[in-house]
């Protein structure tokens, strides 16, 4: 871990808890199609993976309908959902310590970049990061591997992969990192669990923010 100078962080479930905003936006989108979901906890699987995949997987939406549902989702998310977010306790302190230790921090999220920047600035996290990278609104860059490649290429890190580490809470963070030749720390304080992280073979697993902090500063 000592030579990992460039740290790529996921956003949802890794730096912040986006549960209220995302689940209410999904609820709003489903209601548009006559599907009433009152239990927001049942919509937590939407946190992390690309939305189109989740609408198709959990509600059997055809691809065209899933793409349309994303636009309905964004009606709510762009108005209220983006701010219905909570920074995990201890994250700002950890980011400050990492930066003070000379680490360079980057965001790599499947959330649209425009929303990611808005959230990071609103919650005072943007100043810790060299670059905030996310998906595009056209859904051509949304899978985690593509977002990671975009950040690596944009920031001149493509030839420094041995010094780059991804940190995320879901299997697509781990798999996307591996696709780009990176190791990934799977965190357990977000929306993935130990079973998920072990099955996708995360290089490291951090059960808490304090454990992650010690790991990254070691």
């Amino acid at each position: 871990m000592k030579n990992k100078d460039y740290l790529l962080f996921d956003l949802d479930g890794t730096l912040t808890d986006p549960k209220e905003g995302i689940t209410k936006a999904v609820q709003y989108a489903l209601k548009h199609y006559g599907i009433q979901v009152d239990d927001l906890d049942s919509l937590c699987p939407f946190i992390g993976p690309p939305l189109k995949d989740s609408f198709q997987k959990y509600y059997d939406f055809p691809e065209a309908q899933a793409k349309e549902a994303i636009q309905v989702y964004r009606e709510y998310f762009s108005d209220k959902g983006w701010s219905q977010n909570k920074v995990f306790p201890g994250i700002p302190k950890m980011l400050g310590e990492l930066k003070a230790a000379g680490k360079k921090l980057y965001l790599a999220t499947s959330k649209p970049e425009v929303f990611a920047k808005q959230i990071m600035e609103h919650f005072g996290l943007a100043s810790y990061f060299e670059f905030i990278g996310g998906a595009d609104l056209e859904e051509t860059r949304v899978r985690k591997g593509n977002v990671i490649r975009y950040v690596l290429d944009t920031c001149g890190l493509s030839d420094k992969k041995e010094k780059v580490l991804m940190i995320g809470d879901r299997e697509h963070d781990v798999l996307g990192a591996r696709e780009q030749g990176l190791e990934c720390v799977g965190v357990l304080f977000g929306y993935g669990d130990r079973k998920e992280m072990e099955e996708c073979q995360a290089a490291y697993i951090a059960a808490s923010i304090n454990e992650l902090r010690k790991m990254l500063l070691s």
Side-chain angles (χ1 to χ4, degrees):
M1 198 67 79
K2 195 178 274 188
N3 71 332
K4 302 297 185 185
D5 298 325
Y6 307 99
L7 306 178
L8 273 56
F9 283 88
D10 172 47
L11 176 57
D12 294 339
T14 302
L15 298 179
T16 67
D17 183 353
K19 177 183 174 181
E20 183 182 358
I22 289 179
T23 57
K24 285 185 175 178
V26 173
Q27 181 188 51
Y28 175 88
L30 291 173
K31 191 174 182 180
H32 177 81
Y33 296 98
I35 302 168
Q36 182 64 39
V37 179
D38 296 318
D39 179 13
L40 292 177
D41 286 344
S42 71
L43 300 177
C44 284
F46 277 80
I47 300 172
L51 285 168
K52 183 166 74 74
D53 294 356
S54 295
F55 279 118
Q56 290 179 288
K57 178 178 179 180
Y58 300 115
Y59 287 90
D60 296 320
F61 280 20
E63 185 171 3
Q65 187 181 15
K67 287 181 176 179
E68 183 185 67
I70 292 170
Q71 301 309 315
V72 182
Y73 168 98
R74 286 178 183 162
E75 289 175 12
Y76 181 96
F77 195 84
S78 62
D79 180 36
K80 300 174 187 168
W82 70 271
S83 64
Q84 293 171 323
N85 213 318
K86 295 173 185 170
V87 178
F88 285 126
I91 285 293
K93 182 174 183 288
M94 180 188 74
L95 296 177
E97 289 176 335
L98 290 169
K99 194 168 182 181
K103 304 289 186 182
K104 301 290 186 184
L105 313 183
Y106 306 82
L107 194 76
T109 174
S110 289
K111 185 181 290 301
E113 194 168 296
V114 60
F115 294 140
K117 287 180 176 177
Q118 194 174 17
I119 290 165
M120 295 287 282
E121 286 165 8
H122 179 76
F123 290 100
L125 300 179
S127 61
Y128 298 108
F129 286 77
E130 306 293 316
F131 182 74
I132 294 171
D136 58 356
L137 290 172
E138 294 73 36
E139 299 284 309
T140 59
R141 183 182 70 243
V142 66
R143 296 193 178 282
K144 187 50 70 92
N146 294 339
V147 173
I148 291 172
R149 185 175 66 238
Y150 159 68
V151 174
L152 294 175
D153 290 348
T154 304
C155 299
L157 300 176
S158 299
D159 59 349
K160 302 175 182 175
K161 290 183 178 180
E162 74 282 355
K163 294 186 175 183
V164 181
L165 184 70
M166 180 72 204
I167 299 104
D169 71 313
R170 299 300 305 273
E171 66 173 0
H172 67 280
D173 296 308
V174 179
L175 299 176
R178 186 174 301 134
E179 183 185 307
Q180 298 304 320
L182 306 180
E183 290 186 321
C184 183
V185 178
V187 303
L188 304 185
F189 50 82
Y191 286 86
D193 56 23
R194 186 172 293 276
K195 181 173 181 285
E196 180 176 333
M197 289 302 149
E198 287 176 349
E199 286 181 351
C200 66
Q201 298 179 323
Y204 311 92
I205 296 177
S208 65
I209 290 171
N210 192 44
E211 192 174 318
L212 176 65
R213 174 184 158 275
K214 288 177 180 175
M215 191 180 285
L216 298 178
L217 286 166
S218 65

